[in-house]
Amino acid sequence: MDAQGRGRAENIDPADQWVLNPSTGEYELRLTPSAPQSAVPGPRRAAPRGRGAAPGRPSRAAAPAPEGRREARGAREEARGGREEARGSREGREARPGRSASGDAPSPRRRRGAPEEPPAGRRGRRPVKAKKSRGKKAVMWTGGTMAFVLVAVGAAGWFYLKHLEGNVTTEDVGNAADSGFSKDEAFNILLLGTDKRTGKGNEGYGDKGSAGHADTTLLLHVAKDRSNATVLSIPRDLIVDIPDCPTKDADGNETVIPGSQGVRFNTSLGQEGRNAGCTMRTVEEMTGIDVNHFMMADFNAVKTLTTAVGGVDVCLAKDVDDPDSHLKLDAGPHTLMGEDALAFVRTRHSFGNQGDLDRIKVQQQFLASLMRKMSSSDTLTSPTKLMKLAEAATKALTVDTGIGKVSTLKDVALELKKVPPKNISFTTVPVRDNPAETVKATVVVDESRALDVFNAIANDVSFTAVKEKKAQEKAAVAARLKGTKSAPSEVRVRILNGGAPSGSASETLEWLQNDEGVTKSENAGNADAALSRTTLEYAPDQADQARRLAAIMGLSGAALKPGESVTNSQGLPTMTLTLGKDFKGAGVSLTPPAKAPDVEKSTADKVQCAG
């Protein structure tokens, strides 16, 4: 590459070398040449004489440097040899059979390596040395270059991923989180925004000495078919029971932090050394929803993420001047980033009744706008913005070890990206004022409305209108429940605990035998792996038994898994009932709701003005 080409290559922004692959929808690092150039470095040639040069004297730019004279002489000899070879070719063209006047048929070439016969009249001259084919040189040169580029790109991509991975902070929360991430299942991630005030400029927000409580908590549920997602906000002042929580210290020693009853939800994190696993356990006990993973960020994350995407668009229905959060904005649209963005999501005295519930609505609107900005073509087609976003996000996050790798976080993001924004719903746990308080400061779960919300999320039911599964698939699942049913006494089943509360298998066995007449049932202990949903596997000739047990337990057609039977303790073929994390107790129906309850909600595609 010449000096000019090198200068251009050195000025290339590394972010511009990330190119969108339309086949995968992901960015790949590619090294693009600055301009088309010869694949093989050729001999230097004298430049044409300048128009203003003296007669008979080459221009200064054309004068070869002393060290280039030998190369120039070699070039002249090579050119002379080429002309001689061309003359010989013309002289022998008519004698070569198979060559038409139009040149359609190629003439046979001289065998490679045979000595070249000098043209007539030139026999006294030294024969021109045979040179390697320029085409072969080009192949060797470009092939070697491409091999180097592939190695360099692979190494660069690997080192960049490792660099990003070094940004992410992970925390081991034991069995509160899953050990890995599945791209083929529904998943629930607890998003935690703490009020920990580390970093410059964060001292002015509330409690300076906070250990990092659960100030903002959202449960993100993404449907199995990626047709919809639900974001459920949990008020920080919600009164809950916090279960006992096993935690690990820096040396790996486990300590169980005792639970607390009737306390604010935000104390499930930070208080008495509780970690994010304690908050996950609290959410699971309150909602009955299996939480797979967590992502946690502090105040600085709002600043860095909003700056990385070039600002988040918000709308105000009225002027805001909040001395506590230092937010001062006129009514109308604004693009906020950094300190202003943090002040916006922290403001609680400028919207609605100046309480936390109204602030939650503003935060939901802000998050919806951030999602729109992150998924916009302006962001997705800009390698520079994507790299800044990757840097900011990985530095801001603390996650569980199950999703601690950057490649796994990328998978999570790509799965969420499949959900249309119009089908991402935002809602809040239905609550009511705490009846135990005279001065209302906290709230409690309104079970008359909340249980339906929790049940819909746990059973992967959308809060927005989405296209149903293919009619053929839906009919096939429903057909599993149709047909004859065996008598309860003929149902042979073994029961496994696959994620249900401890003792669930024994409880179910006792209920089936004593209350439902399923006497040919037995407890087979724990399953090899935990399941999110209860399943019943059976052989084709046991379908009538499966339908009877499904009717007794309230199992849906989706819970029935045609497969194989196993042998029970008496050596007889039997079905396998595995109680999953959705199991609520013996006699509690496991049939999911047909549709989600009608609750106050918003969607990620709609722009709303806070006020």
Side-chain angles (χ1 to χ4, degrees):
M1 184 182 291
D2 58 18
Q4 184 179 2
R6 286 196 301 272
R8 285 194 298 267
E10 290 172 358
N11 292 329
I12 293 177
D13 187 342
D16 293 336
Q17 295 175 308
W18 288 85
V19 182
L20 179 67
N21 186 333
S23 301
T24 63
E26 301 182 35
Y27 278 87
E28 299 175 355
L29 183 62
R30 298 180 185 172
L31 302 183
T32 306
S34 58
Q37 299 179 30
S38 172
V40 183
R44 296 175 183 164
R45 299 181 182 273
R49 290 175 182 164
R51 184 169 296 181
R57 178 182 299 172
S59 66
R60 183 172 301 175
E67 62 270 22
R69 288 172 181 164
R70 286 190 295 274
E71 293 182 23
R73 186 181 303 113
R76 288 194 296 272
E77 291 178 1
E78 182 180 1
R80 185 181 302 114
R83 288 195 297 273
E84 292 169 355
E85 182 178 359
R87 185 180 300 111
S89 298
R90 287 195 300 272
E91 292 172 355
R93 185 175 298 164
E94 294 180 358
R96 293 175 184 170
R99 179 85 182 202
S100 66
S102 62
D104 294 337
S107 61
R109 297 184 178 224
R110 179 173 53 82
R111 188 175 73 251
R112 183 176 299 173
E116 183 178 359
E117 186 71 21
R122 300 270 183 175
R123 295 184 181 275
R125 185 180 297 275
R126 180 183 299 174
V128 178
K129 185 178 180 181
K131 293 182 177 291
K132 289 184 179 180
S133 163
R134 285 180 179 270
K136 184 176 180 181
K137 276 186 179 181
V139 171
M140 293 174 62
W141 183 272
T142 56
T145 303
M146 284 304 299
F148 173 77
V149 169
L150 289 174
V151 172
V153 169
W158 185 84
F159 278 115
Y160 185 66
L161 286 178
K162 285 298 178 183
H163 160 71
L164 291 178
E165 212 154 278
N167 292 343
V168 181
T169 301
T170 59
E171 185 170 8
D172 185 0
V173 293
N175 61 6
D178 294 352
S179 59
F181 174 75
S182 173
K183 294 190 286 186
D184 300 322
E185 298 292 336
F187 61 89
N188 301 305
I189 298 180
L190 196 65
L191 309 176
L192 294 168
T194 76
D195 58 0
K196 196 169 185 177
R197 285 143 177 82
T198 57
K200 183 179 179 180
N202 297 329
E203 301 84 359
Y205 296 101
D207 181 11
K208 296 181 182 179
S210 174
H213 296 120
D215 191 58
T216 300
T217 305
L218 306 104
L219 178 62
L220 169 64
H221 168 79
V222 179
K224 180 176 181 178
D225 61 4
R226 309 303 186 241
S227 65
N228 67 93
T230 304
V231 181
L232 179 69
S233 292
I234 302 174
R236 67 176 189 176
D237 295 327
L238 178 65
I239 298 300
V240 296
D241 292 337
I242 300 175
D244 292 348
C245 179
T247 61
K248 292 182 179 180
D249 59 22
D251 297 327
N253 300 317
E254 187 172 289
T255 302
V256 177
I257 301 176
S260 301
Q261 285 69 48
V263 296
R264 293 179 189 248
F265 174 82
N266 68 337
T267 59
S268 64
L269 178 68
Q271 197 82 358
E272 299 179 16
R274 295 188 177 107
N275 60 18
C278 303
T279 310
M280 295 173 70
R281 297 175 193 275
T282 302
V283 172
E284 288 184 346
E285 183 166 298
M286 177 182 70
T287 65
I289 300 170
D290 177 35
V291 182
N292 307 111
H293 303 284
F294 83 88
M295 296 181 180
M296 182 168 60
D298 59 15
F299 283 174
N300 288 322
V302 178
K303 298 180 183 180
T304 56
L305 287 174
T306 54
T307 301
V309 298
V312 175
D313 299 327
V314 300
C315 177
L316 294 174
K318 62 180 183 179
D319 295 345
V320 171
D321 187 359
D322 188 346
D324 292 332
S325 67
H326 313 294
L327 181 68
K328 187 173 183 179
L329 295 171
D330 296 332
H334 297 271
T335 300
L336 305 180
M337 67 176 73
E339 198 70 43
D340 290 336
L342 177 59
F344 182 82
V345 297
R346 290 293 303 157
T347 295
R348 64 180 299 176
H349 299 301
S350 301
F351 306 117
N353 61 8
Q354 301 186 11
D356 191 51
L357 295 179
D358 286 296
R359 185 178 68 162
I360 286 176
K361 295 178 182 178
V362 173
Q363 291 174 344
Q364 291 174 348
Q365 294 166 12
F366 183 87
L367 183 58
S369 180
L370 177 59
M371 286 183 173
R372 290 194 296 270
K373 190 63 174 286
M374 291 173 66
S375 61
S376 68
S377 59
D378 180 53
T379 300
L380 294 178
T381 59
S382 170
T384 302
K385 283 188 178 181
L386 284 176
M387 291 180 73
K388 288 181 179 178
L389 184 58
E391 290 284 351
T394 51
K395 288 179 180 178
L397 290 176
T398 297
V399 302
D400 61 90
T401 53
I403 55 174
K405 292 184 177 180
V406 169
S407 58
T408 307
L409 290 173
K410 180 203 69 173
D411 289 340
V412 173
L414 289 176
E415 293 305 306
L416 179 58
K417 183 176 176 290
K418 295 177 182 178
V419 183
K422 66 178 182 179
N423 290 332
I424 301 178
S425 304
F426 292 86
T427 190
T428 305
V429 173
V431 296
R432 56 190 178 91
D433 289 337
N434 188 351
E437 295 177 337
T438 303
V439 178
K440 305 303 180 184
T442 61
V443 292
V444 296
V445 172
D446 185 351
E447 295 186 357
S448 64
R449 295 182 295 143
L451 293 182
D452 290 338
V453 173
F454 301 156
N455 198 24
I457 295 175
N459 287 283
D460 207 18
V461 179
S462 176
F463 281 75
T464 58
V466 296
K467 292 182 180 180
E468 294 183 347
K469 296 179 180 178
K470 296 178 181 179
Q472 186 176 1
E473 179 184 353
K474 186 176 180 182
V477 171
R480 297 171 188 169
L481 298 173
K482 297 178 181 179
T484 59
K485 301 180 179 67
S486 299
S489 59
E490 296 301 319
V491 174
R492 189 178 292 109
V493 62
R494 64 175 195 146
I495 306 167
L496 296 173
N497 189 330
S502 179
S504 293
S506 299
E507 177 189 354
T508 301
L509 176 65
E510 182 179 352
W511 172 69
L512 287 175
Q513 289 186 342
N514 297 336
D515 296 352
E516 301 297 332
V518 185
T519 54
K520 297 178 180 178
S521 52
E522 63 181 42
N523 185 351
N526 294 324
D528 293 334
L531 300 179
S532 57
R533 302 287 184 86
T534 297
T535 62
L536 175 63
E537 184 176 2
Y538 57 96
D541 60 352
Q542 297 172 316
D544 52 349
Q545 297 181 44
R547 286 190 284 267
R548 172 57 67 189
L549 189 60
I552 293 173
M553 297 192 63
L555 299 176
S556 67
L560 272 60
K561 304 295 182 184
E564 299 178 353
S565 63
V566 295
T567 303
N568 66 6
S569 57
Q570 286 80 39
L572 299 173
T574 183
M575 302 184 295
T576 300
L577 174 67
T578 305
L579 304 178
K581 295 180 181 180
D582 62 336
F583 182 77
K584 300 297 188 298
V588 179
S589 175
L590 292 172
T591 301
K595 62 179 183 178
D598 185 15
V599 294
E600 183 180 0
K601 63 180 182 295
S602 60
T603 54
D605 63 320
K606 300 291 178 60
V607 178
Q608 295 180 312
C609 292

